[in-house]
Each structure stands twice: as structure tokens, then as C-alpha cells.
Amino acid sequence: MNAVFRTALGTEFDRLHPELQRRFNVDGDTHLGCVGTGVMDRVWRGAAFTVPFLHLGTLRHILFPETGCGVPFTIENYAYTDSFGRPTLTFVRTFQVAPDRRRRFDATMVWSERRGVLVDYLGTHQHLAVDLHVGVDAAGALTIRSGAYRFRSGLRCPAALTGEARLREWYDERDGRFGIEVAVTNRRFGPLFGYTGSFAVRYLRPGRAPVPAAVRPLRENPRE
């Protein structure tokens, strides 16, 4: 099965730091996936008026309103073939925002051969899809910038209702950990949500155990 990030980056993939190459070459064959555990140094949100919007996101595991420092964090990346025959990679991020409360931010990614773009389906039911523009910076870090958003029906979401997400992930050789920084902003309302921190990864070899049902979406979207 093809690794979606290797396909999306093409020859640029070889410019990633070797540890990032290993992490984003997960294809379900050599490794079933990888699970990262660490701490987000800071989880933040925008102004108070963003809170109702972020609360809505909790219903489908997309966004959440809680903030904090030193937030325990897990990211689960599993590779599998979805019900439409597409190589898929999960991005299930869990934040322990309080001793008795966890929040999730779920996404599944596929490569659209027809459109030549990486497509990120957000949430438990893939109601939203967003194009991702991926690259590699001069330090060998992975960069991602979101593009157009679409509803499950295929209609585009108005830009006023969405945010541009920017992600940078790198590998710190001194600490032996991956670093990550994410920021979501709206062109009119400014910063909405983000986090920054670090984590270590363990790789999972294929075996009898399938991809956990808890990390797969409850409903898949055929539209790319």
C-alpha cells in the first residue's frame, strides 16, 4: 500500500529528516502505524467569541475550546485501505485537557490521484474535507498549509466560516523527539486555535491485530 505523504511529496520526500521519513512512510506493510506520546507545551484558542464555534467542534472531534500548558498528548497514525479502496492514514490527536476530560481532534488523509492533492477529512463522520499543500523546509521539517474546504455534499465552505491551518513538524536530534506547531487562523477574525509541543514515537508492526476501530471514522466520504 502506498504511503500517502510519500506520494504527495514526490521527490521532496527525500529532503525530510530521516526520522520524519520513517514516520511519514507508514504504509500498513512495513509498519501498521506509529503512536506518539508527549506533552503540548501550550494549547491555545482565540478570543472569547470563538468559544461557541470551538464547542461545536467537540461534537465531531474536530476542535475544542479548552486551553492549557503541559497538556498530555497522544497522536495515532495508522495506515489502512478504506472502504473505497484508497490508501488512508489516520491522524487522531488526543489531549488530556483536565484530569477527567479528554478532547480529540480526528482526521483521515487520502491522496486524490484525480486531483493531484492530499485530502484531509475532518472529524468522526468526514463532514468536512480540506485540501492540504505539503512541503519540506530548509531544515528538513514537514510543512502543511490548508486550502479549500468542502462540505460532504461537495459544496465549498465560505472562507469566512473556515480557518487556514498551518503545521510544522520537525525532529530534534538532541532530545530524540518530534516537535510540532499548529495554528489555525481566520482571515477576518484572526487566530482561532493552536498548539505546540513535542512527542516520542513507537512503531507498530503489522500482525493479527487490525487497525483499532476507535481511530477510524464512523462514516467515510467518497468525494475527493
Side-chain angles (χ1 to χ4, degrees):
M1 184 167 61
N2 294 332
V4 296
F5 273 89
R6 177 176 282 280
T7 302
L9 284 167
T11 58
E12 286 287 283
F13 188 86
D14 295 329
R15 292 184 51 237
L16 286 171
H17 186 282
E19 290 296 329
L20 286 167
Q21 289 185 40
R22 184 185 183 194
R23 172 160 150 67
F24 289 103
N25 201 35
V26 168
D27 60 6
D29 297 325
T30 304
H31 292 105
L32 177 66
C34 59
V35 176
T37 55
V39 173
M40 291 299 104
D41 299 322
R42 181 181 176 224
V43 179
W44 57 268
R45 61 165 171 79
F49 67 81
T50 66
V51 172
F53 169 75
L54 296 174
H55 264 297
L56 282 176
T58 66
L59 300 176
R60 299 296 189 188
H61 291 176
I62 298 177
L63 295 172
F64 54 88
E66 288 86 358
T67 63
C69 298
V71 177
F73 170 82
T74 302
I75 181 166
E76 299 174 86
N77 300 109
Y78 285 91
Y80 66 96
T81 301
D82 73 6
S83 59
F84 301 104
R86 302 173 299 189
T88 303
L89 185 65
T90 69
F91 271 75
V92 173
R93 290 144 285 198
T94 303
F95 300 79
Q96 189 77 45
V97 296
D100 59 348
R101 182 179 301 169
R102 293 180 179 181
R103 294 298 194 191
R104 276 180 46 164
F105 186 1
D106 292 10
T108 41
M109 300 184 186
V110 305
W111 171 253
S112 174
E113 194 69 41
R114 177 179 62 84
R115 297 176 53 237
V117 70
L118 191 62
V119 179
D120 190 13
Y121 297 109
L122 303 180
T124 56
H125 291 66
Q126 298 189 346
H127 284 309
L128 282 175
V130 56
D131 294 345
L132 297 182
H133 307 289
V134 296
V136 182
D137 70 14
L142 176 72
T143 62
I144 300 178
R145 176 177 56 84
S146 66
Y149 286 76
R150 296 176 304 283
F151 294 113
R152 188 178 181 89
S153 64
L155 295 176
R156 278 200 172 197
C157 301
L161 300 180
T162 63
E164 181 185 68
R166 289 185 177 268
L167 174 150
R168 183 174 185 265
E169 184 172 323
W170 64 94
Y171 186 76
D172 189 325
E173 294 186 349
R174 294 171 300 176
D175 296 337
R177 295 168 68 84
F178 294 89
I180 189 167
E181 185 171 18
V182 174
V184 183
T185 60
N186 178 276
R187 64 178 63 178
R188 179 177 180 183
F189 300 112
L192 299 178
F193 173 82
Y195 53 90
T196 183
S198 65
F199 56 93
V201 161
R202 61 184 175 90
Y203 293 89
L204 309 172
R205 293 195 176 277
R208 294 182 180 179
V211 174
V215 304
R216 296 184 62 157
L218 298 177
R219 185 179 180 188
E220 294 177 340
N221 185 349
R223 293 182 182 271
E224 298 175 4

